[in-house]
Amino acid sequence: DTGVSQDPRHKITKRGQNVTFRCDPISEHNRLYWYRQTLGQGPEFLTYFQNEAQLEKSRLLSDRFSAERPKGSFSTLEIQRTEQGDSAMYLCASSLAGGLGSYEQYFGPGTRLTVT
Amino acid sequence: AQTVTQSQPEMSVQEAETVTLSCTYDTSENNYYLFWYKQPPSRQMILVIRQEAYKQQNATENRFSVNFQKAAKSFSLKISDSQLGDTAMYFCAFSWNNNDMRFGAGTRLTVKP
């Protein structure tokens, strides 16, 4: 297994445009998480899925943000009408729920979004 | 509210020496997990060490060990025999419900040759 992958690694967009990021978790992991990390800060939780169900969303996830995990495998995070404040690193992580080690999350390399 | 505080924004250590990074947290939960993650420059976050709150014994992983003081809600990371490759941001993290994870603001560690 190659670990958690994210695409693209970098995205530059103009304010008002829509962007979509993809995350491919570790294949046997049933949980997938999205975080946002701004410069000099730790990651902030956005949302998570167990299989295809989105079980929790942070209040940080405004109505311009939507995430999906249609078949319980990869996930997409879409930001509509981007704003400059959306500029950040978007991190994806996955874990295997249940049993020892289920709290351990494995992170992808992130997608760095710059909104100009 | 669950919060994680790292009071040292930056630290440095000489190669081969020992350094301790501090972390405190606030929670009313009794069962939870604590983690230290390492994020090297322009590279992805990797798990360094994990501690289950119900375990009294401090976790160790090779050169990395923790000092877990549950009553004081303190979880420090000790790095022994520091190596240049240890240069990174270190994040303390807390998970109580296996749903999300709360991170501290991080400590930037520089290992000097």
Side-chain angles (χ1 to χ4, degrees):
Chain A
D1 194 352
T2 56
V4 180
S5 62
Q6 292 187 246
D7 183 70
R9 295 291 303 275
H10 303 273
K11 178 71 177 178
I12 300 174
T13 190
K14 292 184 178 180
R15 189 176 55 185
Q17 297 294 306
N18 298 344
V19 294
T20 300
F21 310 140
R22 175 178 171 128
C23 170
D24 286 88
I26 293 173
S27 57
E28 63 267 27
H29 284 183
N30 52 3
R31 287 203 171 184
L32 187 148
Y33 307 80
W34 284 100
Y35 292 86
R36 180 173 69 189
Q37 184 179 22
T38 53
L39 200 61
Q41 297 297 317
E44 296 173 294
F45 170 78
L46 293 178
T47 188
Y48 92 96
F49 293 83
Q50 176 147 331
N51 300 314
E52 67 276 8
Q54 188 174 17
L55 297 186
E56 186 173 342
K57 293 193 289 186
S58 162
R59 63 179 182 275
L60 294 174
L61 210 68
S62 76
D63 55 6
R64 296 185 298 106
F65 288 68
S66 62
E68 295 183 343
R69 195 183 183 198
K71 296 182 180 179
S73 56
F74 73 91
S75 175
T76 58
L77 177 68
E78 181 184 16
I79 309 175
Q80 296 181 328
R81 305 180 303 280
T82 52
E83 302 172 356
Q84 287 187 323
D86 297 331
S87 295
M89 177 76 85
Y90 290 85
L91 296 171
C92 176
S94 70
S95 72
L96 184 63
L100 289 176
S102 62
Y103 286 64
E104 185 171 318
Q105 297 182 18
Y106 295 81
F107 283 80
T111 294
R112 182 169 297 283
L113 172 67
T114 302
V115 181
T116 61
Chain B
Q2 328 288 349
T3 59
V4 179
T5 302
Q6 293 179 250
S7 59
Q8 304 153 315
E10 294 189 24
M11 292 193 71
S12 63
V13 62
Q14 290 295 132
E15 195 175 7
E17 293 188 349
T18 296
V19 65
T20 298
L21 308 183
S22 300
C23 173
T24 58
Y25 59 94
D26 188 25
T27 183
S28 56
E29 301 290 333
N30 194 45
N31 295 317
Y32 50 88
Y33 286 70
L34 294 160
F35 306 86
W36 279 98
Y37 279 88
K38 169 186 176 181
Q39 189 175 39
S42 301
R43 294 180 60 188
Q44 66 198 77
M45 192 129 46
I46 57 174
L47 181 67
V48 174
I49 199 165
R50 180 183 73 183
Q51 175 78 44
E52 293 89 343
Y54 62 86
K55 289 187 177 179
Q56 292 186 336
Q57 186 173 7
N58 289 325
T60 62
E61 286 288 340
N62 301 314
R63 299 182 295 108
F64 299 88
S65 61
V66 299
N67 183 5
F68 174 47
Q69 302 289 329
K70 190 172 183 180
K73 296 180 182 174
S74 170
F75 182 62
S76 60
L77 174 69
K78 185 172 79 172
I79 306 174
S80 304
D81 186 26
S82 297
Q83 301 175 359
L84 296 179
D86 295 333
T87 292
M89 283 290 290
Y90 286 81
F91 293 99
C92 178
F94 167 87
S95 181
W96 71 100
N97 58 5
N98 201 17
N99 294 340
D100 61 56
M101 192 175 289
R102 298 291 168 86
F103 288 82
T107 296
R108 184 178 303 279
L109 176 67
T110 302
V111 180
K112 298 179 178 178

